[in-house]
Amino acid sequence: RISVYLKNIFYMALFFRNTDQLIIDLDRFIRVVDDSVLVFKEGVSNYLNKNFDNFQRNIQMVTNLEDRADEMKHSIEANLYKNSLIPEYRGDVLGLIDKIDDLSDAAKENLYQFDIEMPKIPAEMQDDYMQLTEVSILSVNEVLPAVSGFFHNNGDVPARISKVYFYEKEVDKIAYKLKRKLFKEMHTLKFSEKIHLRYFALHIQQISDIAKKIADIINILILKRM
């Protein structure tokens, strides 16, 4: 067991040689993206509960966080090329960074759509939308620590990746029930209103879809490292 452990440490040293600053920057980037997703969750809750002043503050916060995430992403990308870091894995790491940034982009764009289009979500469906949001966020709560854990060589990465896939499937189940309820039970709504509300469910689902794609990239990196 000791020899296997030492071998893993040796390969990790080769895999991430001269990348201490890169890992520090990635950790900071991940924290900013995580904050943006949490603000998104709070924003959906405030919108559903008609706390529109707080909702507007959420929009400003997520905008600022998304701007910071973009700046940090570009800085990390420049560092990868400028210092010729991990050239054999650079494409995968760049793809990983792009997908993580997509979470921040999706959080901002979704709140913007709520603000612009002002969907009228029936009171009897508010819990459905909130549950969809919460479980989508659970996939992010697993995948971002998995990314950080991969670069720090933590042993819980595979377990977290499994949870990402689990929550992504749960989101699909919740979304299916929500849409079925929307089209089968909400008889007072016009068909155009149902289509509009389905659109917002799809965009909330997008969060867990991105988390799954990040998990896929981490799995590829794990295989390459092995």
Side-chain angles (χ1 to χ4, degrees), residues 102-202:
D102 284 348
L103 285 173
S104 183
D105 292 340
K108 184 188 79 171
E109 291 304 320
N110 282 345
L111 287 192
Y112 275 23
Q113 292 303 319
F114 273 99
D115 185 45
I116 293 167
E117 299 187 22
M118 299 289 288
K120 296 178 181 178
I121 299 174
E124 57 267 46
M125 293 204 68
Q126 289 183 2
D127 287 345
D128 300 285
Y129 278 88
M130 198 64 231
Q131 184 186 23
L132 185 66
T133 302
E134 289 172 347
V135 180
S136 291
I137 300 303
L138 286 176
S139 68
V140 178
N141 290 346
E142 296 296 335
V143 82
L144 291 183
V147 174
S148 181
F150 172 77
F151 286 97
H152 289 280
N153 199 27
N154 292 345
D156 65 345
V157 174
R160 286 191 178 277
I161 293 297
S162 295
K163 288 181 181 178
V164 175
Y165 293 136
F166 170 78
Y167 286 129
E168 191 269 339
K169 289 179 181 177
E170 288 300 303
V171 168
D172 287 346
K173 292 176 185 176
I174 294 166
Y176 173 78
K177 291 179 182 177
L178 183 155
K179 294 167 194 173
R180 185 174 177 81
K181 179 178 179 180
L182 180 62
F183 284 92
K184 299 289 186 181
E185 300 178 25
M186 296 292 104
H187 302 299
T188 60
L189 295 177
K190 297 177 183 177
F191 184 73
S192 59
E193 292 174 319
K194 295 177 181 181
I195 292 293
H196 190 219
L197 292 176
R198 184 191 65 176
Y199 165 86
F200 280 89
L202 288 169

Side-chain angles (χ1 to χ4, degrees), residues 72-85:
M72 296 172 86
K73 171 195 165 188
H74 295 318
S75 176
I76 293 168
E77 289 172 342
N79 187 28
L80 278 168
Y81 283 107
K82 180 180 178 181
N83 297 308
S84 300
L85 299 176

Side-chain angles (χ1 to χ4, degrees), residues 9 14 20 60 101 106 123 137 145 170 221:
I9 294 296
L14 289 177
D20 288 349
Q60 188 58 56
D101 189 58
I137 300 303
E170 288 300 303
L221 282 167

